[in-house]
Amino acid sequence: VKPDKSSLLSVADALAIVLRQAKPLAAEKMLLGSAARNLVLAETIVSDIDSPPYTKALMDGYAVQTLAGAAGSQATPVQTLAYAAGSQATLRVIEEIAAGKMPSRHVGPGEAARIMTGAPVPDGADAVVPIEKTEAASAGEVRLLVTPKPGQNILQRGTEMKAGEMILQPGIALGPQEFGILASVGRTGAMVHPRLRVGILSTGDEIVEPSQFPGPGQIRNSNSPMLAAQVERAGGTSEIIGIARDTVASLRTMIGTGFADHDVLILSGGVSAGKFDLVPGVLRELGVVAHFHKIALKPGKPLFFGTRGDKLVFGLPGNPVSSFVCFELFIRPALMKLMGHSDCGPRQTRMPLAADFQTDNDRPTYWPARIEWSEDGSRVRALPWFGSADLRALHTANALLVLPPGAQSFLAGATVGVILLSE
Ligand code: AMP
Ligand code: MG
């Protein structure tokens, strides 16, 4: 085992450098339609109403005054006592309240109002007895089969939120719940960070389009479609720019195109130490400031990161698994930060292994793995993997094991570090 060269930048330090350079895109006002889905809020949202706006019934049934409720009212001891017969109480039905209607009468001891789910609870009542827990008595009367408890099946005005209360903060992504909450406080538009535009450029003399059958020495371009899907999954929009050849002229032209309409440029290939790995040199020549090149990581050691103004440039190693892993560890968090997320990931946790696992790595290693979610304890299984060119191993991966350098031998059940991949 070759010891890790301590001069190489750690994954954590590299991520910190990337995130320091990634500044959220300027927010803009947007209508809250489907185009805003998964965009990130850039303002504080304040409720314009109490919710619920009135104390409301949560069940169909009868609004009644409980003994405790009566104690606080002007009920006479006799009435209270009659009512306290509880599960056998027979009450006079004084009104029917449908959702959308305001009650017109106070409910006192010995009385009940027929009420529908969502309707305002009348004054005097402090519980709703579900219809199933009652039976019809003589005309205009209902018999309770249970003793109601104060507060049962009602939601007090303003329990969920009060007018003027801050309910959403900047930095949260707009998902289904947020669309519902925004609508409930009357918002049809909001300040959000715009969707990122990401250009993807593959490089290599041997790379051919996926539609072609590769000739001798040729490799299909699997990185561009994969990276485009990773960008979209992270909430950005992607444009595949094409394949640059391993010449300064080709790289210069296509990188120039790539910078034009994109906030982030992702290149794959041409960043290693080979004679035709020209990407870092051309990027520098085009005014890119290099922040790092090479990190203590397997797969993905030759990763390049630079900036030109506010634009970020990543040079990924061409091997597909290296490209994939570097995207998840560095580019995805950067895209999240640019899009305004307060929580940029990657999401890391610890989990027990599903099976014994031995490994020996010269660098910190991120090993394709599958979390087997289970209600009685989820476990993570290391997948068979033949290294950075073995993209097929990633097919069933939903996680990466975080392994320190050196020889490791784990027994099933041992706890290991895990990075969660989005699915
Ligand atoms: P490089 O980083 O250019 O040295 O490439 C490393 C390995 O990844 C080589 O075997 C390349 O053929 C392969 N490779 C580079 N770019 C791509 C791509 N876009 N799709 C699939 N494999 C690639
Ligand atoms: Mg190459």
Side-chain angles (χ1 to χ4, degrees):
V1 181
K2 274 190 298 170
D4 173 41
K5 289 204 197 72
S6 55
S7 60
L8 283 184
L9 192 63
S10 73
V11 166
D13 288 347
L15 179 59
I17 291 171
V18 169
L19 291 179
R20 207 176 306 135
Q21 296 299 325
K23 312 250 166 33
L25 300 184
E28 50 192 49
K29 181 102 181 174
M30 202 161 167
L31 280 178
L32 291 170
S34 55
R37 196 175 308 137
N38 292 331
L39 292 183
V40 177
L41 198 60
E43 62 169 316
T44 300
I45 301 292
V46 171
S47 177
D48 67 338
I49 48 163
D50 287 349
S51 181
Y54 45 80
T55 298
K56 75 175 174 186
L58 297 176
M59 303 277 272
D60 290 311
Y62 289 88
V64 300
Q65 190 175 78
T66 64
L67 191 53
S73 80
Q74 66 281 59
T76 68
V78 175
Q79 283 171 315
T80 307
L81 219 61
Y83 180 75
S87 66
Q88 287 306 309
T90 299
L91 308 175
R92 194 161 53 83
V93 180
I94 57 168
E95 143 166 75
E96 186 171 286
I97 311 158
K101 223 183 102 184
M102 289 307 290
S104 63
R105 302 198 39 195
H106 177 277
V107 172
E111 294 175 340
R114 177 81 173 94
I115 195 164
M116 315 305 154
T117 302
V121 173
D123 286 348
D126 66 336
V128 169
V129 179
I131 189 87
E132 304 81 12
K133 302 286 168 58
T134 67
E135 62 185 23
S138 51
E141 288 190 335
V142 64
R143 188 174 302 117
L144 306 188
L145 304 178
V146 292
T147 305
K149 295 188 187 68
Q152 219 168 24
N153 302 318
I154 68 175
L155 191 62
Q156 291 293 332
R157 173 178 182 153
T159 304
E160 183 193 4
M161 58 178 99
K162 300 212 162 39
E165 198 179 326
M166 284 188 283
I167 51 164
L168 295 176
Q169 301 288 348
I172 61 115
L174 299 180
Q177 304 92 312
E178 289 72 29
F179 277 99
I181 291 168
L182 286 160
S184 72
V185 299
R187 295 297 297 259
T188 54
M191 293 297 287
V192 296
H193 298 279
R195 218 171 273 290
L196 263 187
R197 298 158 311 160
V198 181
I200 294 164
L201 178 56
S202 285
T203 74
D205 282 345
E206 78 283 26
I207 307 300
V208 297
E209 295 295 350
S211 55
Q212 280 178 253
F213 192 85
Q218 293 185 327
I219 298 280
R220 284 196 179 109
N221 179 9
S222 57
N223 285 347
S224 290
M226 177 181 74
L227 291 164
Q230 284 177 288
V231 167
E232 307 270 336
R233 184 160 72 178
T237 52
S238 64
E239 191 198 348
I240 293 177
I241 297 160
I243 303 166
R245 296 307 163 196
D246 290 325
T247 65
V248 170
S250 173
L251 285 167
R252 215 183 260 152
T253 311
M254 296 201 74
I255 291 171
T257 308
F259 270 123
D261 293 318
H262 302 105
D263 309 300
V264 176
L265 188 56
I266 303 176
L267 293 101
S268 82
V271 291
S272 304
K275 189 174 168 194
F276 301 103
D277 291 329
L278 308 172
V279 167
V282 174
L283 286 174
R284 283 192 181 88
E285 182 201 306
L286 291 174
V288 170
V289 177
H291 294 284
F292 60 76
H293 185 196
K294 291 188 180 44
I295 54 177
L297 168 63
K298 185 177 175 175
K301 178 177 164 188
L303 178 67
F304 174 96
F305 170 62
T307 51
R308 192 168 92 168
D310 285 340
K311 301 193 179 199
L312 309 188
V313 191
F314 295 88
L316 302 176
N319 268 311
V321 183
S322 309
S323 276
F324 181 92
V325 168
C326 286
F327 182 97
E328 294 298 323
L329 295 184
F330 303 101
I331 304 181
R332 184 185 162 91
L335 302 189
M336 302 281 280
K337 178 108 185 270
L338 288 161
M339 287 187 292
H341 290 268
S342 51
D343 181 6
C344 299
R347 292 174 299 166
Q348 188 163 348
T349 183
R350 296 187 68 79
M351 263 192 184
L353 279 168
D356 296 355
F357 178 57
Q358 284 91 38
T359 178
D360 189 358
N361 307 295
D362 57 349
R363 272 168 279 146
T365 296
Y366 291 74
W367 189 286
R370 176 145 194 97
I371 295 170
E372 297 168 352
W373 298 106
S374 161
E375 57 193 18
D376 35 56
S378 302
R379 297 180 156 244
V380 63
R381 186 179 298 278
L383 296 169
W385 179 45
F386 298 102
S388 53
D390 180 15
L391 182 57
R392 191 178 173 190
L394 279 181
H395 161 55
T396 55
N398 58 9
L400 300 169
L401 299 185
V402 182
L403 303 168
Q408 322 273 326
S409 184
F410 300 100
L411 294 175
T415 301
V416 291
V418 171
I419 292 213
L420 307 182
L421 301 174
S422 13
E423 283 184 278

Tab-separated table of all heavy atoms in Angstrom, residues 201-208 217-227 242-243 246 268-274 276-277 279 302 316-323 388-389 391, ligand 1:
chain	number	residue	atom	x	y	z
A	201	LEU	N	-19.251	19.745	-21.047
A	201	LEU	CA	-18.351	19.560	-22.183
A	201	LEU	C	-17.458	18.349	-21.929
A	201	LEU	O	-16.706	18.324	-20.957
A	201	LEU	CB	-17.486	20.831	-22.349
A	201	LEU	CG	-16.438	20.848	-23.449
A	201	LEU	CD1	-17.059	20.565	-24.814
A	201	LEU	CD2	-15.727	22.208	-23.459
A	202	SER	N	-17.582	17.346	-22.790
A	202	SER	CA	-16.677	16.199	-22.691
A	202	SER	C	-15.469	16.451	-23.573
A	202	SER	O	-15.553	17.184	-24.564
A	202	SER	CB	-17.398	14.918	-23.132
A	202	SER	OG	-18.291	14.515	-22.127
A	203	THR	N	-14.339	15.867	-23.179
A	203	THR	CA	-13.124	16.035	-23.983
A	203	THR	C	-12.469	14.681	-24.206
A	203	THR	O	-12.597	13.774	-23.387
A	203	THR	CB	-12.095	16.954	-23.283
A	203	THR	OG1	-11.486	16.226	-22.199
A	203	THR	CG2	-12.728	18.230	-22.753
A	204	GLY	N	-11.793	14.552	-25.316
A	204	GLY	CA	-11.026	13.331	-25.581
A	204	GLY	C	-11.076	12.951	-27.059
A	204	GLY	O	-12.145	12.955	-27.657
A	205	ASP	N	-9.910	12.646	-27.623
A	205	ASP	CA	-9.853	12.230	-29.032
A	205	ASP	C	-10.559	10.898	-29.269
A	205	ASP	O	-10.995	10.610	-30.380
A	205	ASP	CB	-8.381	12.097	-29.463
A	205	ASP	CG	-7.745	13.451	-29.751
A	205	ASP	OD1	-8.518	14.444	-29.896
A	205	ASP	OD2	-6.504	13.527	-29.817
A	206	GLU	N	-10.665	10.091	-28.202
A	206	GLU	CA	-11.251	8.750	-28.364
A	206	GLU	C	-12.764	8.748	-28.147
A	206	GLU	O	-13.416	7.715	-28.326
A	206	GLU	CB	-10.588	7.771	-27.374
A	206	GLU	CG	-11.045	7.840	-25.924
A	206	GLU	CD	-10.485	9.012	-25.122
A	206	GLU	OE1	-10.143	10.053	-25.713
A	206	GLU	OE2	-10.433	8.902	-23.879
A	207	ILE	N	-13.342	9.879	-27.750
A	207	ILE	CA	-14.758	9.896	-27.347
A	207	ILE	C	-15.656	10.081	-28.571
A	207	ILE	O	-15.434	10.981	-29.390
A	207	ILE	CB	-15.021	11.030	-26.332
A	207	ILE	CG1	-14.040	10.948	-25.155
A	207	ILE	CG2	-16.469	11.002	-25.835
A	207	ILE	CD1	-14.097	9.658	-24.366
A	208	VAL	N	-16.662	9.219	-28.704
A	208	VAL	CA	-17.642	9.333	-29.803
A	208	VAL	C	-19.046	9.440	-29.215
A	208	VAL	O	-19.276	9.086	-28.060
A	208	VAL	CB	-17.569	8.124	-30.774
A	208	VAL	CG1	-16.209	8.059	-31.445
A	208	VAL	CG2	-17.903	6.806	-30.061
A	217	GLY	N	-10.278	1.587	-30.376
A	217	GLY	CA	-9.735	2.603	-29.469
A	217	GLY	C	-10.726	3.678	-29.068
A	217	GLY	O	-10.359	4.595	-28.328
A	218	GLN	N	-11.959	3.571	-29.559
A	218	GLN	CA	-12.927	4.630	-29.226
A	218	GLN	C	-13.824	4.243	-28.047
A	218	GLN	O	-14.025	3.069	-27.760
A	218	GLN	CB	-13.792	4.941	-30.459
A	218	GLN	CG	-12.975	5.571	-31.581
A	218	GLN	CD	-13.842	5.984	-32.755
A	218	GLN	OE1	-14.848	5.347	-33.067
A	218	GLN	NE2	-13.436	7.068	-33.416
A	219	ILE	N	-14.350	5.248	-27.372
A	219	ILE	CA	-15.200	5.076	-26.182
A	219	ILE	C	-16.424	5.965	-26.367
A	219	ILE	O	-16.296	7.109	-26.781
A	219	ILE	CB	-14.432	5.525	-24.903
A	219	ILE	CG1	-13.174	4.692	-24.656
A	219	ILE	CG2	-15.339	5.549	-23.682
A	219	ILE	CD1	-13.420	3.352	-24.001
A	220	ARG	N	-17.595	5.418	-26.062
A	220	ARG	CA	-18.802	6.258	-26.163
A	220	ARG	C	-18.829	7.307	-25.050
A	220	ARG	O	-18.375	7.051	-23.928
A	220	ARG	CB	-20.064	5.407	-26.067
A	220	ARG	CG	-20.369	4.640	-27.342
A	220	ARG	CD	-21.811	4.156	-27.291
A	220	ARG	NE	-22.194	3.423	-28.490
A	220	ARG	CZ	-22.407	2.101	-28.521
A	220	ARG	NH1	-22.270	1.377	-27.432
A	220	ARG	NH2	-22.758	1.526	-29.654
A	221	ASN	N	-19.399	8.448	-25.363
A	221	ASN	CA	-19.535	9.528	-24.388
A	221	ASN	C	-20.680	9.217	-23.428
A	221	ASN	O	-21.829	9.550	-23.683
A	221	ASN	CB	-19.794	10.852	-25.122
A	221	ASN	CG	-19.972	12.020	-24.154
A	221	ASN	OD1	-19.742	11.877	-22.953
A	221	ASN	ND2	-20.378	13.158	-24.691
A	222	SER	N	-20.329	8.577	-22.321
A	222	SER	CA	-21.367	8.310	-21.301
A	222	SER	C	-21.416	9.429	-20.270
A	222	SER	O	-22.410	9.584	-19.564
A	222	SER	CB	-21.116	6.961	-20.624
A	222	SER	OG	-19.834	6.914	-20.047
A	223	ASN	N	-20.352	10.204	-20.182
A	223	ASN	CA	-20.315	11.233	-19.126
A	223	ASN	C	-21.323	12.351	-19.341
A	223	ASN	O	-21.965	12.798	-18.390
A	223	ASN	CB	-18.914	11.842	-19.015
A	223	ASN	CG	-17.943	10.904	-18.321
A	223	ASN	OD1	-18.365	9.922	-17.719
A	223	ASN	ND2	-16.660	11.211	-18.407
A	224	SER	N	-21.451	12.833	-20.587
A	224	SER	CA	-22.331	13.992	-20.796
A	224	SER	C	-23.780	13.705	-20.387
A	224	SER	O	-24.355	14.485	-19.623
A	224	SER	CB	-22.258	14.473	-22.247
A	224	SER	OG	-20.994	15.047	-22.483
A	225	PRO	N	-24.386	12.597	-20.876
A	225	PRO	CA	-25.771	12.333	-20.450
A	225	PRO	C	-25.884	12.108	-18.946
A	225	PRO	O	-26.855	12.535	-18.320
A	225	PRO	CB	-26.149	11.060	-21.213
A	225	PRO	CG	-25.155	10.944	-22.318
A	225	PRO	CD	-23.902	11.614	-21.860
A	226	MET	N	-24.887	11.444	-18.364
A	226	MET	CA	-24.928	11.180	-16.922
A	226	MET	C	-24.850	12.483	-16.137
A	226	MET	O	-25.658	12.733	-15.238
A	226	MET	CB	-23.769	10.253	-16.541
A	226	MET	CG	-23.659	9.974	-15.054
A	226	MET	SD	-22.264	8.890	-14.693
A	226	MET	CE	-20.887	10.026	-14.925
A	227	LEU	N	-23.890	13.337	-16.503
A	227	LEU	CA	-23.719	14.600	-15.778
A	227	LEU	C	-24.926	15.514	-15.968
A	227	LEU	O	-25.352	16.201	-15.035
A	227	LEU	CB	-22.433	15.301	-16.238
A	227	LEU	CG	-21.145	14.587	-15.811
A	227	LEU	CD1	-19.949	15.109	-16.610
A	227	LEU	CD2	-20.904	14.761	-14.305
A	242	GLY	N	-21.007	19.392	-26.255
A	242	GLY	CA	-20.418	18.536	-27.275
A	242	GLY	C	-19.164	17.863	-26.770
A	242	GLY	O	-18.958	17.711	-25.568
A	243	ILE	N	-18.317	17.457	-27.735
A	243	ILE	CA	-17.068	16.772	-27.394
A	243	ILE	C	-15.914	17.591	-27.963
A	243	ILE	O	-15.837	17.809	-29.184
A	243	ILE	CB	-17.031	15.351	-27.998
A	243	ILE	CG1	-18.244	14.519	-27.518
A	243	ILE	CG2	-15.709	14.643	-27.653
A	243	ILE	CD1	-18.461	13.233	-28.318
A	246	ASP	N	-8.590	16.640	-28.071
A	246	ASP	CA	-7.424	16.904	-27.220
A	246	ASP	C	-6.427	17.827	-27.911
A	246	ASP	O	-5.236	17.496	-28.038
A	246	ASP	CB	-6.743	15.572	-26.837
A	246	ASP	CG	-7.578	14.746	-25.865
A	246	ASP	OD1	-8.260	15.354	-25.007
A	246	ASP	OD2	-7.566	13.509	-25.965
A	268	SER	N	-15.311	17.076	-18.652
A	268	SER	CA	-14.803	15.777	-18.211
A	268	SER	C	-13.665	15.360	-19.124
A	268	SER	O	-13.690	15.612	-20.325
A	268	SER	CB	-15.914	14.716	-18.181
A	268	SER	OG	-16.138	14.183	-19.462
A	269	GLY	N	-12.655	14.759	-18.509
A	269	GLY	CA	-11.473	14.280	-19.228
A	269	GLY	C	-10.406	15.356	-19.336
A	269	GLY	O	-10.657	16.558	-19.139
A	270	GLY	N	-9.177	14.902	-19.611
A	270	GLY	CA	-8.094	15.828	-19.912
A	270	GLY	C	-7.514	16.594	-18.732
A	270	GLY	O	-6.885	17.633	-18.928
A	271	VAL	N	-7.733	16.094	-17.503
A	271	VAL	CA	-7.171	16.799	-16.343
A	271	VAL	C	-6.094	15.981	-15.620
A	271	VAL	O	-5.571	16.406	-14.599
A	271	VAL	CB	-8.249	17.218	-15.315
A	271	VAL	CG1	-9.128	18.318	-15.884
A	271	VAL	CG2	-9.087	16.027	-14.878
A	272	SER	N	-5.755	14.796	-16.176
A	272	SER	CA	-4.736	13.962	-15.519
A	272	SER	C	-3.347	14.399	-15.968
A	272	SER	O	-3.175	15.494	-16.500
A	272	SER	CB	-4.973	12.491	-15.856
A	272	SER	OG	-6.281	12.133	-15.495
A	273	ALA	N	-2.377	13.517	-15.794
A	273	ALA	CA	-0.997	13.902	-16.053
A	273	ALA	C	-0.508	13.453	-17.425
A	273	ALA	O	0.680	13.501	-17.733
A	273	ALA	CB	-0.100	13.319	-14.963
A	274	GLY	N	-1.442	13.036	-18.311
A	274	GLY	CA	-1.047	12.546	-19.635
A	274	GLY	C	-0.574	13.670	-20.543
A	274	GLY	O	-0.839	14.853	-20.300
A	276	PHE	N	-1.698	14.492	-23.315
A	276	PHE	CA	-2.791	15.214	-23.988
A	276	PHE	C	-3.838	15.730	-23.011
A	276	PHE	O	-4.964	16.039	-23.400
A	276	PHE	CB	-3.412	14.316	-25.064
A	276	PHE	CG	-2.386	13.909	-26.090
A	276	PHE	CD1	-1.826	12.635	-26.075
A	276	PHE	CD2	-1.929	14.826	-27.033
A	276	PHE	CE1	-0.858	12.265	-26.988
A	276	PHE	CE2	-0.953	14.460	-27.943
A	276	PHE	CZ	-0.406	13.175	-27.926
A	277	ASP	N	-3.461	15.809	-21.743
A	277	ASP	CA	-4.376	16.360	-20.739
A	277	ASP	C	-4.168	17.867	-20.667
A	277	ASP	O	-3.420	18.384	-19.838
A	277	ASP	CB	-4.151	15.675	-19.383
A	277	ASP	CG	-4.610	14.219	-19.431
A	277	ASP	OD1	-5.556	13.923	-20.192
A	277	ASP	OD2	-4.016	13.391	-18.728
A	279	VAL	N	-6.550	20.341	-20.494
A	279	VAL	CA	-7.655	21.167	-19.984
A	279	VAL	C	-7.198	22.239	-18.989
A	279	VAL	O	-7.507	23.421	-19.179
A	279	VAL	CB	-8.791	20.273	-19.418
A	279	VAL	CG1	-9.799	21.085	-18.612
A	279	VAL	CG2	-9.500	19.549	-20.565
A	302	PRO	N	-7.592	13.539	-9.864
A	302	PRO	CA	-7.133	14.692	-10.662
A	302	PRO	C	-8.120	15.869	-10.733
A	302	PRO	O	-7.906	16.790	-11.521
A	302	PRO	CB	-6.957	14.103	-12.079
A	302	PRO	CG	-7.137	12.633	-11.957
A	302	PRO	CD	-7.942	12.399	-10.730
A	316	LEU	N	-13.471	17.440	-14.474
A	316	LEU	CA	-13.601	16.115	-13.859
A	316	LEU	C	-12.697	15.120	-14.564
A	316	LEU	O	-12.537	15.184	-15.789
A	316	LEU	CB	-15.040	15.613	-13.972
A	316	LEU	CG	-16.124	16.481	-13.359
A	316	LEU	CD1	-17.501	15.884	-13.656
A	316	LEU	CD2	-15.906	16.576	-11.864
A	317	PRO	N	-12.133	14.171	-13.823
A	317	PRO	CA	-11.419	13.073	-14.479
A	317	PRO	C	-12.402	12.327	-15.376
A	317	PRO	O	-13.569	12.179	-15.025
A	317	PRO	CB	-10.962	12.194	-13.316
A	317	PRO	CG	-11.191	12.980	-12.074
A	317	PRO	CD	-12.218	14.016	-12.375
A	318	GLY	N	-11.933	11.859	-16.528
A	318	GLY	CA	-12.837	11.286	-17.523
A	318	GLY	C	-13.461	9.962	-17.155
A	318	GLY	O	-14.542	9.627	-17.655
A	319	ASN	N	-12.816	9.202	-16.284
A	319	ASN	CA	-13.407	7.916	-15.924
A	319	ASN	C	-14.796	8.138	-15.337
A	319	ASN	O	-14.971	8.972	-14.439
A	319	ASN	CB	-12.518	7.172	-14.925
A	319	ASN	CG	-11.535	6.255	-15.645
A	319	ASN	OD1	-11.933	5.495	-16.526
A	319	ASN	ND2	-10.269	6.352	-15.292
A	320	PRO	N	-15.784	7.407	-15.847
A	320	PRO	CA	-17.172	7.713	-15.474
A	320	PRO	C	-17.458	7.705	-13.975
A	320	PRO	O	-18.183	8.569	-13.495
A	320	PRO	CB	-17.970	6.630	-16.200
A	320	PRO	CG	-17.129	6.302	-17.393
A	320	PRO	CD	-15.706	6.417	-16.936
A	321	VAL	N	-16.916	6.754	-13.234
A	321	VAL	CA	-17.227	6.721	-11.802
A	321	VAL	C	-16.574	7.908	-11.096
A	321	VAL	O	-17.144	8.500	-10.179
A	321	VAL	CB	-16.809	5.382	-11.157
A	321	VAL	CG1	-17.215	5.349	-9.689
A	321	VAL	CG2	-17.449	4.224	-11.903
A	322	SER	N	-15.373	8.295	-11.565
A	322	SER	CA	-14.719	9.483	-10.996
A	322	SER	C	-15.574	10.716	-11.242
A	322	SER	O	-15.780	11.538	-10.348
A	322	SER	CB	-13.346	9.704	-11.639
A	322	SER	OG	-12.591	8.531	-11.592
A	323	SER	N	-16.079	10.845	-12.477
A	323	SER	CA	-16.930	11.977	-12.808
A	323	SER	C	-18.164	11.998	-11.922
A	323	SER	O	-18.527	13.023	-11.354
A	323	SER	CB	-17.372	11.901	-14.275
A	323	SER	OG	-16.390	12.459	-15.107
A	388	SER	N	-12.602	2.949	-11.132
A	388	SER	CA	-13.197	4.183	-11.644
A	388	SER	C	-13.799	4.074	-13.042
A	388	SER	O	-14.580	4.919	-13.450
A	388	SER	CB	-12.174	5.311	-11.602
A	388	SER	OG	-11.002	4.918	-12.264
A	389	ALA	N	-13.450	3.005	-13.797
A	389	ALA	CA	-14.055	2.847	-15.118
A	389	ALA	C	-15.322	1.991	-15.064
A	389	ALA	O	-16.033	1.872	-16.058
A	389	ALA	CB	-13.053	2.214	-16.084
A	391	LEU	N	-18.617	1.788	-14.425
A	391	LEU	CA	-19.844	2.564	-14.217
A	391	LEU	C	-21.014	1.658	-13.872
A	391	LEU	O	-21.929	2.045	-13.151
A	391	LEU	CB	-20.148	3.370	-15.490
A	391	LEU	CG	-21.364	4.286	-15.478
A	391	LEU	CD1	-21.282	5.295	-14.344
A	391	LEU	CD2	-21.498	5.010	-16.813
B	1	AMP	P1	-8.985	11.193	-19.091
B	1	AMP	O1	-9.485	11.800	-17.803
B	1	AMP	O2	-9.184	12.079	-20.261
B	1	AMP	O3	-7.570	10.720	-18.930
B	1	AMP	O4	-9.877	9.916	-19.319
B	1	AMP	C1	-9.831	8.843	-18.427
B	1	AMP	C2	-10.639	7.680	-18.950
B	1	AMP	O5	-12.017	8.065	-19.004
B	1	AMP	C3	-10.263	7.245	-20.331
B	1	AMP	O6	-10.315	5.833	-20.394
B	1	AMP	C4	-11.338	7.848	-21.199
B	1	AMP	O7	-11.561	7.140	-22.361
B	1	AMP	C5	-12.533	7.833	-20.295
B	1	AMP	N1	-13.428	8.919	-20.656
B	1	AMP	C6	-13.076	10.206	-20.842
B	1	AMP	N2	-14.147	10.941	-21.169
B	1	AMP	C7	-15.199	10.106	-21.206
B	1	AMP	C8	-16.588	10.277	-21.500
B	1	AMP	N3	-17.077	11.479	-21.828
B	1	AMP	N4	-17.392	9.201	-21.410
B	1	AMP	C9	-16.883	7.997	-21.076
B	1	AMP	N5	-15.600	7.781	-20.789
B	1	AMP	C10	-14.748	8.806	-20.862
